[in-house]
Amino acid sequence: MENHTYRVKGFSCASCAKTFENNVKDLPGVIDARVNFGASKITVTGHTSLQALEKAGEFEGLKLTVDGTRKDQVSADEKEVVPWFKQYETELFGLIFLLLGIVSSVMSGHSHPMTALLVVISSAVLGFQLFKVGIKNLRRFVFDMRTLMTVAVFGGVLIGEWLEVGIVVMLFRVSELLEGYSMDRARKSIASLIDMAPSKAQIRRVDGDEMFDVDAINIGDVMVVKPGEKLAMDGVIIEGQSLINQAAITGESLPEEKSVGDDVYAGTLNTDGLLLVSVTKRVEDTTLQKIIHLVEEAQAEKAPAERFIDGFARVYTPIIMLISLLVMIVPPLFFSQDVSLWFYQGLAILIVGCPCALVVSTPISIVSAIGNAAKQGVLIKGGVHLETLGRIKVMAFDKTGTLTKGEPFVTDVHLIDQSVSEIDVMTLIYGLEKDSTHPLAKALTTKASEYTLSKTGMTEMTEIMSLPGRGIQGKQNGIPCAVQSPKNVLSALTPEIKTAIHTLESKGKTVVVVTKDSQPLAYLAIADEIRDTAKETLRHLHNLGIKDTIMLTGDNHRAAEDIASQLGIDQVRSELLPEDKLTVIDQLVKDYHYVAMVGDGVNDAPAMAKASVGIAMGAKGTDTALETADLALMADDLTTLPFTVRLSRKTLRIIKANVTFSLLIKLLALMLVIPGWLTLWLAIISDIGATLLVSLNSMRLLKLKP
């Protein structure tokens, strides 16, 4: 079985998307089909032609393009630049005939043949697709909003309510346009991501530079990126140095210094230097394309609220038809009421019962929220994760690389032997550690490079040997030197020095002692730097009502407690192996039900998978974070975490408000049936009003900022 994905242009409503999906499933050679209404895509399992697919979408005038390249994405999403009157010529034509029908009604009466003729022309133009689908649905006993509208319109024709029928069809057309506009606005957040990467790039060849479409660029090609240009492809810098604005990937607008050997990404902006970049990924595999793909897939994953609304609408629509039938039959049959009056009231119930606002209330909210989060550098991989995050009560954090930067640095330098200088000590450290790959060695050599090191002795280190778990040693002019753990030289340390070292270690710092000829020269303290934003982030989370914050770490308990006290963490679980973290998360889920785990996306993957929501720091190992987490903070910026929690909670509130409002407005309209005040045009206006208001309410999520 093969899967083929196509981009679809022309969806006007979620119901139409479902109809199209069912039509495609009925095509010969198609095993299954799945429409992603949020991203305007369809994935077809099996074999069929593009022409057959467009025929299946003929009722809606759908146009399809094969998905897979950037060119296809842009052509499917961008609208043709046409004058507004040509874009809406069908609606204008229908409106003109409807207005003429109103004039005829005023002058000649609403039952005059000319009034009927003008309204019929208007309704036929505006409602052709509606009636076509509605009649087909009736034959198949499929009851959706188009079925209800079709029955109501033909019923109105039977009792001669020509003018009201025309107004109903016109307003329904307006309602569909509004719904389509709302979804287009929500989708623009993804279209803007696509537009971030250029469609062409300058490639260096032996005979000169040449512009190529991104689809024609191969791995290994050398891309020339001038100052002020955006990168079209992922790659690694082979020549040059510049500040790169990575907002397209991380949401972080502050530029980052990049030089030879550093990775760069498609869609990022080269600000001030000429770069030569060796392309490392095809256009469809770039990090930006992965993000776009994952966001689009996320929009297709229905949240529990959306699944509930869809299921409710399937039951609700037949019930509305049954109520309408009872209203038409019961009063005339059992209470000798006027047949035409209650037939009219029954038709009005069909219209007011249309679940348009109810069905659209959730998908626009989900698409808007996920799209807004992506623009802020937060990748949410589905409506279910967005909804779950809004219910989180407890957040667990990995320490290293999450609450801290994961890059040890030297915090303290203390001389023991006053006859040597700090420069002498740093020269000795640099000579021993410069070729070591140990994280502590990197911190020591970084500190040493801040000094104007003595040239003497730097290249004289011989017999350098790593001492696993203890340090490193070597010889300088035949004299043994070492950088090692204090416990290896305890006998050579005074009680005062031992106390000072113990104090540093109690603060969670790692201490090393520099010795020469077995005599201690100095001791240095190394710590993992706490992220600048960590404390503020945790305070915001507590203010948002997160009950408990818990730090999970493999560090010793003293070090963990010290960092937790600095940050205001509620609980600490220390000296944990990865499998221990998994056990802790399992217990937390049992105790609190909704638990989030924030980690670096690699060694914390099991714990993140077990948590209700797994949140990865995305900048380090982007691909891993994208694959393992439910959410990824693409800039490793913890301040986006409270924003995402607020966004998810606001999404839940808006969905609940939309559903409640949609049902209340219908209930109020239905109550007008009792005194016989409900009219066809009033019914459709209440439906349009509800659809417009819930759409506008949902689009507020696009405006929420960190």
Side-chain angles (χ1 to χ4, degrees), residues 102-360:
I102 292 171
V103 171
S104 174
S105 174
V106 171
M107 296 178 64
S108 308
H110 74 277
S111 58
H112 192 275
M114 181 55 69
T115 303
L117 178 63
L118 291 168
V119 171
V120 165
I121 293 172
S122 171
S123 300
V125 170
L126 295 172
F128 177 73
Q129 298 294 348
L130 163 67
F131 303 143
K132 187 177 176 181
V133 176
I135 292 168
K136 189 175 180 179
N137 285 349
L138 274 173
R139 288 205 306 264
R140 295 160 61 182
F141 294 98
V142 174
F143 302 108
D144 63 9
M145 59 188 76
R146 295 195 170 207
T147 313
L148 295 185
M149 288 299 300
T150 301
V151 172
V153 167
F154 282 113
V157 169
L158 284 176
I159 60 174
E161 294 290 345
W162 300 103
L163 199 57
E164 291 204 29
V165 163
I167 292 172
V168 163
V169 174
M170 181 69 198
L171 291 176
F172 184 76
R173 181 79 174 207
V174 171
S175 175
E176 285 195 322
L177 289 175
L178 289 172
E179 188 178 337
Y181 170 77
S182 302
M183 282 304 297
D184 282 345
R185 281 291 306 275
R187 290 183 188 120
K188 277 184 179 177
S189 56
I190 305 306
S192 66
L193 288 177
I194 294 169
D195 293 337
M196 283 180 177
S199 59
K200 293 178 181 288
Q202 186 174 329
I203 300 299
R204 178 145 293 180
R205 297 286 191 237
V206 177
D207 53 351
D209 296 346
E210 189 178 344
M211 296 298 292
F212 284 87
D213 285 336
V214 289
D215 296 328
I217 297 173
N218 296 311
I219 294 172
D221 284 345
V222 176
M223 184 168 57
V224 181
V225 189
K226 297 173 184 175
E229 289 184 346
K230 285 186 176 181
L231 281 81
M233 308 287 285
D234 282 11
V236 61
I237 297 174
I238 57 174
E239 187 178 317
Q241 183 175 338
S242 181
L243 287 170
I244 303 290
N245 185 325
Q246 300 190 124
I249 302 298
T250 65
E252 174 57 61
S253 58
L254 291 177
E256 186 175 329
E257 183 76 35
K258 297 279 187 176
S259 57
V260 174
D262 288 337
D263 292 324
V264 286
Y265 305 106
T268 58
L269 176 66
N270 176 25
T271 60
D272 60 0
L274 179 68
L275 298 176
L276 295 185
V277 176
S278 177
V279 175
T280 55
K281 293 178 182 176
R282 293 275 301 164
V283 62
E284 62 269 19
D285 298 321
T286 62
T287 301
L288 181 62
Q289 284 294 335
K290 277 191 176 180
I291 291 171
I292 292 166
H293 173 72
L294 287 168
V295 170
E296 289 181 335
E297 289 302 305
Q299 292 174 336
E301 292 295 325
K302 292 186 177 181
E306 191 172 358
R307 288 197 296 270
F308 170 76
I309 293 299
D310 285 350
F312 178 76
R314 281 195 294 272
V315 177
Y316 164 88
T317 307
I319 289 174
I320 285 292
M321 293 197 77
L322 179 61
I323 292 172
S324 171
L325 186 63
L326 291 173
V327 167
M328 291 177 183
I329 293 172
V330 172
L333 199 60
F334 294 99
F335 301 101
S336 303
Q337 297 288 313
D338 181 34
V339 174
S340 60
L341 171 66
W342 289 101
F343 187 79
Y344 180 87
Q345 292 291 300
L347 295 178
I349 287 173
L350 284 179
I351 293 173
V352 83
C354 272
C356 299
L358 198 61
V359 171
V360 83

Side-chain angles (χ1 to χ4, degrees), residues 71-90:
K71 192 184 298 182
D72 289 328
Q73 282 180 311
V74 175
S75 65
D77 286 318
E78 67 186 4
K79 289 188 175 181
E80 295 177 25
V81 180
V82 293
W84 68 270
F85 55 85
K86 285 190 79 66
Q87 194 174 346
Y88 298 108
E89 59 185 357
T90 303

Side-chain angles (χ1 to χ4, degrees), residues 9-59:
K9 188 177 181 182
F11 279 143
S12 63
C13 64
S15 174
C16 315
K18 189 65 182 174
T19 302
F20 176 56
E21 181 180 278
N22 291 333
N23 289 351
V24 173
K25 286 179 179 177
D26 291 338
L27 291 175
V30 173
I31 298 165
D32 194 19
R34 186 170 69 100
V35 165
N36 179 341
F37 179 57
S40 281
K41 292 165 74 173
I42 184 169
T43 301
V44 180
T45 305
H47 297 278
T48 189
S49 66
L50 195 62
Q51 291 74 21
L53 291 171
E54 289 193 342
K55 189 168 179 61
E58 196 176 28
F59 71 94

